[in-house]
Amino acid sequence: MNLRALQESFRDWLVHESPALAARLGAGAKPGLAVYLNTYRGQLIDCLAQTYTVLHAWLGDAAFEAAAATHVDRVPPGSWTLDAYGLGFPDTLGLLYADDPEVTELACLERALAEAFTGPDCAVVDTAALGAIEWDQARLALVPTFTLLPATTNAAAIWTAVSGDASPPPAATLEVPTQIAVWRLDFTPRFRTLELAEAQALELVADGMSFGALCALLAGRHGDDAGAARAGAWLGQWLQDGIIARVHQGSDAPS
Amino acid sequence: MKPSFGLGLRKPHYGDFLETAVPVDFVEVISENFMVAGGRPRDILRRVRERHPVALHGVSMSMGSVDGLDPQYLRRLQQLVGEIQPLFVSDHLCWTRTGGFSAHDLLPLPYTPEALEVVCRNVIQAQDALGRTLLVENPSSYISFAESVLSEWEFLDALCARTGCALLLDINNIFVSATNNGFDPQAYLAGVPAARVHQIHLAGHTQGRERLIDTHDRPVPPAVWRLYESAIRRFGPVPTMIERDDDIPPLPELLSELDLARAVTAGIAREALPSSQLQGRVA
């Protein structure tokens, strides 16, 4: 057996417990092969448990371990980094908990927070330097860790309660589906559940809409004064949150 | 080689290393934990690096993969090496990846001419990309292959000769593999090229049902200390560190363990001194 065939046979032992490698190596190798199998599965399950601590607490040990074992059976790891292994776990949870969408949404929130934790560093805009900005032409560049997650349940409230050692609320469906913003400020991942209109505005801003165009859009919906007030309030909140990396003007606009 | 002694940097001790003067000559980190875009892990590593030399110890290079090295992995490691300017860069004599599958475990190689070709090719590529000597660590193994025509130490000797790489000798791994696979650990020490041993790991293991398991979850046991003493007698002083990955105790316990390594090296150095010099020191 050449080296490639051996490595593929070893992979098949770890992923499917295919007996070919054990048969080839003989009975004496069985205890050693069992060590490799236990290490492989244990490491992947530990990785999921470390990434999804709140979900683990929400589901309980038995349900979480069963879901993790299903994921290990379903999705062999492909990346050089173990951090990537948990990225597909919400998909497995979606299959296992199709009638409990808060489970998948809770997992998606934890995944986004974990990704933000090690995402690119980025300073936020210096609010003291914003006095000279011509806001009509300004475009906002968001921090690279910023992302929006769809939210149809109270998964965010569950996360907050569980991570704060408080009693979590029962799972519930939101009256109006919305989005959760996730980002990192300094070294701490953060999130905030948005009103749907603010989430839509942030999507437009992220796509390059100028602040003036956003104001015009809101003025068309709510009238000049109310539209401008709403845009100004959101801008103040975004600056306070620390999700704006830069404010570009005119030819300085991001591509 | 100047004797130096270090510890693996682990999360429970970040505060100690950032806020106090920990008496170590270097620290070692798991490279992959810091091969991330940014955030707190990279910040901690930068700040620790301001206080201590740092060795980068990898687990995912997969130098035994027939598929070759993962270019994305190598780029990330290059970037980290460029920023940290590490004392050593090391990874394991093993494979972890084949055909889009990554096991995240240190899987064993048969010690054949074909495997030697593969590992040499990958080590040379890594050294060229990183612009420095790679330290290759002997893994713990739980099986052996009938088609192996070289012992592990013969394989490492040939690897060093052909690539110019150096060795990170894990004394616990020698003990574990020797017990599991039935070879003489002293023959191992005698067989590796002494001048290429640039770093030593010390760790503990666990007796499993039918194999010793390399768990790194307890103090270095007496048998491993005895083997370490043999190693230092053969290789002379080599930068040595305690590698603890689970059931991590308070830092003072690990520092006490590291003092034992210092004592072993110092004791052997004293034995090597002419008696006239020893008398002069006592006086």
Side-chain angles (χ1 to χ4, degrees), chain B residues 4 30 69 116 149:
Chain B
S4 62
I30 302 300
L69 302 182
L116 184 60
V149 295

Side-chain angles (χ1 to χ4, degrees), chain A residues 138-140 201 203-215 217:
Chain A
R139 294 177 197 274
L140 310 179
E203 283 184 315
L204 294 170
V205 164
D207 284 345
M209 175 181 271
S210 72
F211 189 70
L214 178 63
C215 289
L217 182 70

Side-chain angles (χ1 to χ4, degrees), chain A residues 77-112:
Chain A
S79 170
W80 59 266
T81 171
L82 199 52
D83 286 351
Y85 186 63
L87 298 181
F89 194 37
D91 296 337
T92 297
L93 293 165
L95 298 172
L96 294 174
Y97 289 94
D99 296 330
D100 303 295
E102 78 284 354
V103 172
T104 305
E105 291 190 4
L106 190 54
C108 287
L109 177 57
E110 286 209 274
R111 176 178 64 186

